[in-house]
């Protein structure tokens, strides 16, 4: 029983989990969906933190920074298209 409780605590997003953007200014369906879910908000914040870390580690390689930014834009476009899919349950 203690193990299940600990696993549940580890799996739960932190109480202060927040997305990488201001939910009051959420303009797309994907942003509103992220704001509506504490789990999605926490994951969005983690992805944003990883992106910032990657940018800081690549700052000496301008070409790598450009490639990372292109990849991030592609990821966000895919995420938004996936979340906005009306067939998604």
């Amino acid at each position: 029983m203690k193990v299940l409780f600990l696993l549940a605590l580890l799996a739960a997003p932190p109480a202060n989990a927040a997305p990488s953007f201001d939910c009051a200014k959420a303009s797309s369906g994907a942003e509103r969906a992220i704001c509506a879910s504490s789990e999605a908000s926490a994951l969005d914040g983690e992805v944003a933190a990883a992106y910032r870390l990657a940018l800081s580690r690549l700052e000496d390689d301008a070409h790598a920074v450009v490639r990372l930014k292109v990849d991030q834009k592609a990821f966000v476009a895919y995420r938004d298209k996936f979340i906005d899919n009306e067939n998604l349950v």
Side-chain angles (χ1 to χ4, degrees):
M1 188 67 158
K2 288 182 183 180
V3 173
L4 290 176
F5 178 72
L6 290 174
L7 288 174
L9 283 177
L10 291 173
N16 61 350
S20 61
F21 53 88
D22 182 356
C23 283
K25 297 178 182 177
S27 59
S28 71
E31 288 177 344
R32 288 187 293 276
I34 289 168
C35 291
S37 165
S38 61
E39 183 179 8
S41 293
L43 292 171
D44 182 76
E46 288 178 26
V47 169
Y51 175 70
R52 286 189 304 272
L53 177 62
L55 275 178
S56 71
R57 290 184 177 175
L58 295 173
E59 65 187 356
D60 293 335
D61 184 346
H63 186 63
V65 168
V66 168
R67 288 192 327 251
L68 179 63
K69 288 181 178 184
V70 167
D71 286 348
Q72 177 69 357
K73 285 183 183 189
F75 167 77
V76 170
Y78 174 80
R79 177 203 70 188
D80 291 355
K81 185 176 179 180
F82 180 80
I83 291 175
D84 286 339
N85 183 342
E86 63 189 38
N87 296 316
L88 180 66
V89 177

